[in-house]
Amino acid sequence: MTRVCFVGSPDVNLQYELLSRETSREALATYDLRRPFENSLEVRTISLGAAISLCNDLQWYLVRFVDTVLIQEPSVSDDEWLSRSLARALRDGHLEPADTGTYLQVYGLERPDPTSDKVDATGADTADASSDDQPTDDTDTPTANKSGGGRQAQTVQQESQQAESTETATDSQTAPRLVEPLYVKRVDGDVPEYDLRPVDETLVVRLTEDEFSP
């Protein structure tokens, strides 16, 4: 199974943005939703091609609400992720798995303080998602703002609660936050140490050469 993870932009509640809009909600309806990182949504697709197709279907939303798209393909690596551009190059046959892994983006993983005030797993207060400042757009407005009023707003809330109920133990209030990516090259098969700030864990993303900026 190929994993696709959408990491939201810092100023949005990604779960709300994707599940409150009819087109994106329908595109995600057949998948079990996970939240491996703060303000993210992950799905598992049947192949790399299916993962790229899903990204293409959601392109309008990715441009507006998503900061990073991460794809994990078992035929390439079980623990490292791919950028969307690299995944596309592999899908199209422009690169082979053995040709990847030199150019890397390494994120620190920072876990929120469990003693801090309770917020939802996106890092925003739960009340923010239902405030009067709901985003609108003529192309695909949130369902709660369309005709049908309270009943459709309730449907959105139920969709959001259903997504939360499917989360695993790792998809919790303590989901780690991706912080400060470091651009490095793999040296003799080893990933250089992440040194931008103290972190307990890191996440490695493989990039294309064009995406690499040391």
Side-chain angles (χ1 to χ4, degrees):
M1 301 290 283
T2 302
R3 300 167 65 187
V4 184
C5 182
F6 306 112
V7 182
S9 300
D11 58 341
V12 304
N13 180 320
L14 184 63
Q15 181 180 8
Y16 170 74
E17 299 296 354
L18 293 183
L19 296 182
S20 67
R21 289 173 163 78
E22 183 177 1
T23 303
S24 55
R25 187 172 67 250
E26 288 181 353
L28 295 167
T30 59
Y31 300 98
D32 290 330
L33 304 183
R34 298 288 186 266
R35 191 184 299 161
F37 312 113
E38 186 178 273
N39 199 22
S40 73
L41 278 181
E42 180 199 298
V43 301
R44 301 193 177 204
T45 65
I46 60 173
S47 67
L48 187 61
I52 297 299
S53 294
L54 176 62
C55 292
N56 293 341
D57 291 343
L58 294 174
Q59 178 64 17
W60 190 90
Y61 310 95
L62 302 189
V63 170
R64 288 161 177 77
F65 308 125
V66 171
D67 185 57
T68 304
V69 178
L70 304 174
I71 297 176
Q72 190 174 79
E73 168 55 41
S75 67
V76 179
S77 175
D78 289 327
D79 53 9
E80 296 183 355
W81 294 76
L82 312 174
S83 69
R84 183 182 176 186
S85 294
L86 182 57
R88 187 186 299 114
L90 287 166
R91 189 275 312 265
D92 293 342
H94 299 317
L95 289 173
E96 295 296 328
D99 299 328
T100 68
T102 299
Y103 304 101
L104 307 174
Q105 186 181 40
V106 182
Y107 285 92
L109 292 180
E110 185 175 86
R111 293 191 178 276
D113 183 356
T115 63
S116 63
D117 292 340
K118 184 177 181 180
V119 295
D120 69 6
T122 65
D125 290 336
T126 304
D128 291 345
S130 58
S131 70
D132 292 335
D133 289 333
Q134 294 177 350
T136 59
D137 188 278
D138 292 339
T139 305
D140 193 359
T141 56
T143 306
N145 289 340
K146 293 183 179 180
S147 62
R151 184 173 62 182
Q152 292 190 349
Q154 184 178 12
T155 300
V156 171
Q157 183 179 17
Q158 290 172 343
E159 292 277 358
S160 179
Q161 291 173 342
Q162 181 180 6
E164 291 179 357
S165 69
T166 65
E167 293 172 352
T168 64
T170 58
D171 303 317
S172 65
Q173 298 295 339
T174 58
R177 180 187 303 113
L178 297 176
V179 296
E180 287 192 88
L182 174 68
Y183 291 83
V184 296
K185 288 185 180 181
R186 198 184 304 267
V187 179
D188 296 328
D190 296 326
V191 178
E193 182 178 355
Y194 180 88
D195 59 4
L196 296 182
R197 66 165 76 182
V199 294
D200 293 330
E201 305 172 71
T202 57
L203 179 141
V204 177
V205 182
R206 300 186 182 191
L207 307 175
T208 64
E209 184 174 2
D210 290 343
E211 294 175 293
F212 183 73
S213 55

